[in-house]
Amino acid sequence: MMFRLRSVNSCLRRLLHGGAVTRDQVLEQLQVCSAENHVFDVVGKNKAKLTVDHVNYAVRLLWQFQKERPEMLRTVDLIKSHQQFLTLRVLAENKIDLMDDFMLIDILYAFLRLNVEPQDSLIQQLVSEAWLRIDRFPMAALSKFAVCLNDQHLQHSPLMGRITSIVNERLPTIDDARILTALMISVSSLVSPQLRDALISRADHLLHTTDPSNYNIPRRMVQFLRNIKYIHRPLLERCNEIFLRNIPRLDAENLSIILGLYQSLQFNNCDFRLAAKQKLTELIDSSIDPFSFTKLFVALAPMATPEIRERLENTALLLADELNAQQALAVAEALEEIQSRNLSLMNKIASVIQRNLHLYKSVEVARITQALFLLQYQNPELFATLRNILIKFLEHSVFPYEVTMLTRVLSMLPCPRLEEAVVSRVDAVVEQCNLSELNTISFAVAKWVRNDQSYRHNTHSKYVRLLQTLNRCGHERLRTADRLDLLLDELKYVSGEWFEEMLLDETMITLQRMIDQINWTNVPELAFFLTRINHLSPPLMDRIASVTVEHIHKIHYSATYATLLPFSVLNYDPPQVDELYDACIKRFTPHLSSFDPHLLVLLAYSLAVADHFPEELIRAIFSIDFLGKLDSQLETLPDALNMRTRLRLMELNRAVCLECPEYQVPWFHERYCQQLHRKGSGSVSPVQQQIHKMLGEVLGGINCVQMAVVTPYFYTIDFECKLDKHLKPLSYIEPSTLQISDRGKVHWDTSSLENIRDELPTGAQRVAVDFLDSKYFCKNTHHMKGEALMRKRHLEILGYRVVQIPHFEWNSMELSTQDAWKEYLKKKIFR
């Protein structure tokens, strides 16, 4: 009995205290390693004893040491060249059969992170073994394996397709947001619309259970949306809330990543941009190494004040020689975005780029070329080198998107003649291109045609054949299109003469063929497209209106702006016009405080064009708090959007003052308008000069008509005349406020912009004569747009009788003689 007790006791001691019989001395040695050379010493001394567990532990430990260091201090190349690393690779390949599922994926992941090439036999053996086991993988292992495939650029492979299928089958069982988001990013290029919606729904559910301090989870969700080019505002807003809570913990790298993702998605959030700007400004003094400073520069420079921007450029100049190839590219693109004129910094960055040209991929060389060209950087030798590199990449490329991108950038660069190899490569892939790519190629061909002098003497040139192919492919793609969502995605950035002349009519026929596919999810995008191409289509717009009214509760409140835009801009009232505007106003009104300030201004202006002035919206915008927030936001926006928003605020202010005096909103844009007029001395077209001369003849003298008259609230009227109560012209005593040069340039007398008008005799009237060129009408019809009607309303409120001269009437065959033009003016003015 005592013997038995002693035996049990001895056994327990060995189990609990790791007695000599079960001790793993090699593992113990690995566990106390504190650096890579210690790991390699253990491996070198114990080659014959190393088990699969030892190999796995050693490889993962090597990656762990690297991961804990800043990127610039990592020594992956030294590790790869070490003799004992080769030992670990050989042992790992020989022991694959002994690895369990998690070990197999962990060791694959670590080797890839240590830059073992995907074509290495070890990696290929590990991937092959994983493929055999894939159906039994737990979701955690599957997620990590998917990341490994992405690292090897296998996101379109059959293997990733199988993972996508498994995700689709097992999605309801995934309860870990980290696992889900890794899978979402990995399979993003293969998801169907149904799986996309299911993944977003699952992500949204898990986001509510995620630790709010973990900002990596929502960041991956936003990355997924960026990858699939899909804006799901509810999910974006929830992710944004988590980012805002974590601003104190976010570093320059993470802030730069998030801002970049938002920019790609064209998602603006005022609160995040302001918070990020403040945090990045605080990080300037501590961002002194090339890695962190580059991230800071890229994120902060575009929204910094001129003083901060200058400080950043000075630091960049000091660090420029330490930048690697990728950092130099990032800085060059940021300099282009802010349109820097710091020649010393540009020279430094160009020098770093030039010595690293052999390291860049085709996309990166294209980005470099575009950035330097748009910066108007003068270095013919560098551009010639870049052009040669781009052509070599193009000659070997087989991907339509890559050929399109390289073609577009090549067309920016001056060249006397285009190489035949470029044209033949474009011709080889053009039939695989989508509409956006075809449109981009058409821009490039148009530039080549303009630059190639020989084209004028050769009507059957290579360019003509290429354009004919583009036309045929464009029409075929439209005729065979059967999914509205995919078509709208291709049309998102399509514009220009080629599209309007060759494909616009066919596009509208295709859209009307798909009219039954219009639903609440694609209504905003379709509405925005119609506005952008300036095309009035009553069938499509009636369908948009009916879908919107029926499903307004499903449409995101901020999407009401894009949805209403064509109706106000193109001045179209569908049968349900009142229900449409009422439904949209009721949808967005409870969320006024959630709108980005600039978007709320644009929304209110578009409603004003359509003669709608919701009181809550107007009072919200013209409050002190809102205007202060808008000012802060405008400092962070790109210059073009900043100026557009300021202009729209002025126009909204003017509209409210004129049309809704009961709101008692003050006119506070007097100085802004004066500055605008002083800056923008416009030009007078030959047609306007012709009308001016004829008005003088019709009215009995040039002193009876004034040109470019500035009204109260700063409308500029083409021509003004005064008629007494018997419709007899009255002459002007004061001289005109402007002079016109021989070239038709207007020179303002700035001292007269005080909106002082002489009194009219009793019964007399002021007549505003406006020439309406093509911008005031829809492209496909003579239907007048909303802004022209709003302008007419406002001038009438200011006391004018408004005479509008449409360009198509003035330039018609009926008015082809001096007498006909004069008779036309008489009828318009003296009716």
Side-chain angles (χ1 to χ4, degrees):
M1 183 69 177
M2 286 183 67
F3 176 75
R4 282 185 195 158
L5 286 171
R6 266 196 215 106
S7 298
V8 169
N9 199 23
S10 171
C11 235
L12 283 171
R13 260 203 315 274
R14 285 200 302 273
L15 288 169
L16 293 172
H17 303 291
V21 175
T22 58
R23 282 181 64 191
D24 187 336
Q25 293 180 340
V26 175
L27 187 59
E28 286 176 357
Q29 291 176 57
L30 286 170
Q31 286 171 339
V32 296
C33 290
S34 57
E36 290 88 345
N37 59 321
H38 299 158
V39 175
F40 288 137
D41 285 345
V42 174
V43 171
K45 291 173 184 174
N46 297 279
K47 287 181 187 177
K49 300 178 188 176
L50 293 178
T51 66
V52 68
D53 292 314
H54 299 145
V55 172
N56 178 45
Y57 194 95
V59 173
R60 290 173 63 191
L61 195 58
L62 290 172
W63 167 237
Q64 188 62 36
F65 289 145
Q66 292 297 308
K67 188 169 70 169
E68 288 169 356
R69 292 177 185 156
E71 194 169 324
M72 62 181 297
L73 298 178
R74 290 179 183 175
T75 54
V76 172
D77 289 339
L78 288 175
I79 290 173
K80 278 181 65 181
S81 61
H82 199 285
Q83 185 180 357
Q84 301 311 328
F85 187 69
L86 178 60
T87 301
L88 289 171
R89 287 168 61 177
V90 171
L91 287 170
E93 190 168 351
N94 291 337
K95 296 176 185 293
I96 287 176
D97 291 341
L98 302 175
M99 297 177 187
D100 65 32
D101 294 341
F102 280 107
M103 185 186 293
L104 179 75
I105 300 306
D106 285 344
I107 206 165
L108 170 63
Y109 181 86
F111 273 126
L112 285 170
R113 286 292 181 271
L114 292 168
N115 289 351
V116 178
E117 290 76 11
Q119 62 268 28
D120 189 277
S121 63
L122 165 63
I123 300 298
Q124 294 190 354
Q125 289 294 326
L126 288 167
V127 171
S128 297
E129 182 63 26
W131 194 338
L132 294 174
R133 306 185 194 183
I134 194 167
D135 289 319
R136 76 184 197 209
F137 276 168
M139 294 310 291
L142 190 73
S143 170
K144 203 166 189 177
F145 183 43
V147 171
C148 294
L149 293 179
N150 252 347
D151 289 347
Q152 299 172 74
H153 307 292
L154 294 173
Q155 54 267 46
H156 295 100
S157 65
L159 186 48
M160 190 66 85
R162 179 63 196 134
I163 292 175
T164 307
S165 178
I166 294 170
V167 170
N168 192 34
E169 293 163 11
R170 300 192 208 165
L171 184 57
T173 68
I174 304 177
D175 293 317
D176 187 324
R178 190 166 181 271
I179 291 171
L180 176 67
T181 51
L183 284 167
M184 288 168 72
I185 292 170
S186 299
V187 305
S188 57
S189 57
L190 299 178
V191 294
S192 64
Q194 293 77 16
L195 181 55
R196 173 200 69 197
D197 293 342
L199 286 168
I200 289 171
S201 176
R202 192 68 186 160
D204 189 44
H205 170 73
L206 293 182
L207 200 57
H208 288 94
T209 63
T210 303
D211 178 2
S213 65
N214 187 347
Y215 53 80
N216 283 318
I217 297 298
R219 192 192 71 188
R220 290 194 199 102
M221 291 177 182
V222 176
Q223 188 177 338
F224 168 73
L225 294 174
R226 190 278 311 269
N227 288 358
I228 63 172
K229 300 175 184 175
Y230 184 70
I231 298 178
H232 189 275
R233 291 194 178 274
L235 182 59
L236 278 170
E237 286 169 0
R238 287 191 189 92
C239 292
N240 190 70
E241 287 170 13
I242 295 174
F243 297 148
L244 280 169
R245 280 190 222 138
N246 284 283
I247 284 286
R249 300 174 58 240
L250 290 170
D251 58 13
E253 181 182 9
N254 279 292
L255 287 167
S256 177
I257 289 170
I258 295 166
L259 287 166
L261 292 172
Y262 280 2
Q263 186 175 6
S264 297
L265 284 166
Q266 296 183 327
F267 174 74
N268 270 313
N269 183 269
C270 173
D271 293 334
F272 181 77
R273 285 182 71 85
L274 291 174
K277 180 183 175 184
Q278 177 63 36
K279 176 65 176 178
L280 288 165
T281 305
E282 293 168 8
L283 291 171
I284 291 176
D285 291 334
S286 59
S287 301
I288 52 176
D289 62 275
F291 179 81
S292 61
F293 176 77
T294 302
K295 299 295 183 185
L296 178 86
F297 187 86
V298 168
L300 182 57
M303 54 184 177
T305 61
E307 296 77 24
I308 295 291
R309 203 175 275 182
E310 184 180 356
R311 186 177 163 194
L312 290 170
E313 289 185 349
N314 290 337
T315 307
L317 192 59
L318 295 173
L319 287 174
D321 288 327
E322 299 175 44
L323 301 180
N324 63 28
Q326 294 303 318
Q327 290 160 352
L329 166 57
V331 171
E333 289 187 312
L335 290 174
E336 185 274 315
E337 189 175 350
I338 64 175
Q339 280 299 291
S340 172
R341 290 293 171 261
N342 189 327
L343 186 58
S344 300
L345 179 55
M346 280 191 266
N347 284 331
K348 279 274 190 184
I349 297 300
S351 173
V352 176
I353 286 170
Q354 199 156 8
R355 68 171 177 257
N356 286 295
L357 278 175
H358 62 288
L359 299 175
Y360 292 113
K361 298 172 185 173
S362 62
V363 175
E364 293 163 341
V365 176
R367 286 164 56 193
I368 288 165
T369 307
Q370 177 172 295
L372 294 177
F373 179 82
L374 294 176
L375 275 168
Q376 300 177 359
Y377 181 63
Q378 301 299 313
N379 189 330
E381 182 186 342
L382 175 56
F383 278 116
T385 304
L386 289 168
R387 189 173 187 280
N388 290 333
I389 295 171
L390 289 168
I391 289 172
K392 284 178 184 173
F393 277 128
L394 182 61
E395 287 173 350
H396 296 97
S397 177
V398 295
F399 300 109
Y401 80 89
E402 187 179 37
V403 170
T404 303
M405 173 201 59
L406 294 170
T407 302
R408 177 180 60 78
V409 175
L410 272 172
S411 72
M412 293 178 171
L413 303 177
C415 67
R417 290 293 299 272
L418 188 66
E419 291 81 351
E420 190 63 44
V422 174
V423 178
S424 63
R425 185 91 303 260
V426 173
D427 200 41
V429 302
V430 75
E431 297 200 11
Q432 304 169 51
C433 291
N434 62 32
L435 291 169
S436 180
E437 290 161 347
L438 292 173
N439 189 67
T440 301
I441 293 171
S442 78
F443 275 116
V445 175
K447 284 184 183 177
W448 291 330
V449 168
R450 284 195 297 271
N451 296 335
D452 194 337
Q453 298 298 316
S454 67
Y455 172 72
R456 298 174 187 178
H457 310 293
N458 184 7
T459 53
H460 297 290
S461 72
K462 53 197 172 187
Y463 303 120
V464 172
R465 290 194 300 273
L466 191 51
L467 282 170
Q468 288 170 342
T469 306
L470 286 172
N471 297 343
R472 177 176 55 77
C473 292
H475 280 92
E476 282 179 10
R477 194 155 186 94
L478 285 166
R479 280 194 287 268
T480 56
D482 58 0
R483 283 182 53 189
L484 179 58
D485 290 345
L486 294 179
L487 179 61
L488 288 173
D489 191 52
E490 289 189 26
L491 292 171
K492 189 175 286 185
Y493 303 110
V494 167
S495 63
E497 288 180 17
W498 176 77
F499 173 73
E500 289 177 6
E501 292 176 13
M502 301 298 170
L503 295 187
L504 184 53
D505 291 341
E506 187 72 40
T507 299
M508 298 313 297
I509 292 168
T510 304
L511 290 171
Q512 290 187 34
R513 171 165 58 81
M514 298 179 177
I515 199 165
D516 291 335
Q517 294 184 41
I518 298 175
N519 57 48
W520 67 270
T521 62
N522 55 37
V523 149
E525 197 169 348
L526 176 58
F528 192 76
F529 173 72
L530 293 175
T531 309
R532 188 169 60 78
I533 63 169
N534 195 16
H535 195 101
L536 183 66
S537 174
L540 291 174
M541 293 173 73
D542 289 348
R543 172 70 177 168
I544 288 171
S546 64
V547 169
T548 301
V549 170
E550 184 180 352
H551 298 286
I552 190 63
H553 60 287
K554 297 178 184 175
I555 296 173
H556 193 268
Y557 61 84
S558 65
T560 53
Y561 167 63
T563 304
L564 289 174
L565 209 51
F567 299 97
S568 59
V569 171
L570 304 181
N571 177 35
Y572 178 71
D573 289 347
Q576 295 174 279
V577 60
D578 293 333
E579 296 97 315
L580 173 67
Y581 280 97
D582 288 347
C584 287
I585 290 168
K586 284 176 184 171
R587 179 73 182 98
F588 68 66
T589 299
H591 304 281
L592 294 179
S593 61
S594 301
F595 271 87
D596 253 23
H598 84 284
L599 185 60
L600 203 60
V601 170
L602 299 178
L603 170 63
Y605 172 75
S606 100
L607 286 167
V609 170
D611 202 10
H612 287 271
F613 297 89
E615 185 170 357
E616 279 190 66
L617 173 62
I618 300 303
R619 295 207 182 281
I621 287 176
F622 292 104
S623 67
I624 299 297
D625 289 345
F626 177 87
L627 292 173
K629 188 176 180 183
L630 176 64
D631 265 342
S632 299
Q633 188 205 14
L634 289 176
E635 292 175 5
T636 72
L637 294 180
D639 289 343
L641 184 55
N642 182 324
M643 289 188 288
R644 179 169 165 245
T645 305
R646 291 184 188 278
L647 180 64
R648 292 297 184 238
L649 181 66
M650 180 278 287
E651 292 170 326
L652 177 63
N653 186 198
R654 175 169 63 194
V656 172
C657 288
L658 288 170
E659 302 199 58
C660 303
E662 67 274 15
Y663 291 166
Q664 298 184 326
V665 171
W667 168 246
F668 55 90
H669 278 91
E670 190 82 12
R671 255 169 93 193
Y672 170 83
C673 290
Q674 288 179 353
Q675 289 169 357
L676 218 56
H677 274 277
R678 286 173 183 134
K679 278 183 198 169
S681 43
S683 57
V684 179
S685 69
V687 173
Q688 287 172 310
Q689 293 187 52
Q690 179 193 24
I691 294 172
H692 185 219
K693 181 184 175 187
M694 289 193 178
L695 278 171
E697 294 176 18
V698 166
L699 295 169
I702 208 72
N703 62 328
C704 291
V705 58
Q706 284 202 323
M707 197 174 188
V709 175
V710 180
T711 74
Y713 294 100
F714 286 86
Y715 272 115
T716 302
I717 299 172
D718 289 345
F719 313 100
E720 182 191 274
C721 60
K722 297 179 292 186
L723 305 178
D724 67 15
K725 61 183 177 181
H726 303 297
L727 298 185
K728 299 292 184 186
L730 299 171
S731 63
Y732 287 86
I733 301 169
E734 293 294 326
S736 176
T737 61
L738 52 78
Q739 298 91 38
I740 304 172
S741 70
D742 293 338
R743 296 182 179 180
K745 203 77 176 167
V746 173
H747 301 287
W748 290 95
D749 175 6
T750 55
S751 62
S752 65
L753 293 177
E754 300 299 329
N755 294 323
I756 298 170
R757 299 200 290 179
D758 54 330
E759 291 294 323
L760 285 175
T762 305
Q765 59 179 293
R766 236 179 262 278
V767 181
V769 181
D770 273 337
F771 175 73
L772 304 183
D773 61 22
S774 58
K775 73 181 179 185
Y776 289 102
F777 299 90
C778 299
K779 276 269 170 69
N780 60 320
T781 174
H782 292 158
H783 185 76
M784 195 181 295
K785 290 164 68 175
E787 287 185 350
L789 284 183
M790 181 173 75
R791 174 185 171 90
K792 185 172 186 287
R793 286 199 312 268
H794 292 174
L795 291 176
E796 287 171 347
I797 291 170
L798 289 168
Y800 284 94
R801 179 163 70 80
V802 181
V803 171
Q804 294 177 319
I805 303 175
H807 68 97
F808 51 85
E809 290 183 3
W810 186 258
N811 297 322
S812 66
M813 292 294 290
E814 294 173 22
L815 305 183
S816 54
T817 65
Q818 297 283 328
D819 291 340
W821 276 315
K822 289 177 188 175
E823 190 60 33
Y824 174 83
L825 289 174
K826 284 178 185 177
K827 284 180 181 176
K828 285 275 189 179
I829 293 169
F830 300 120
R831 63 194 170 100

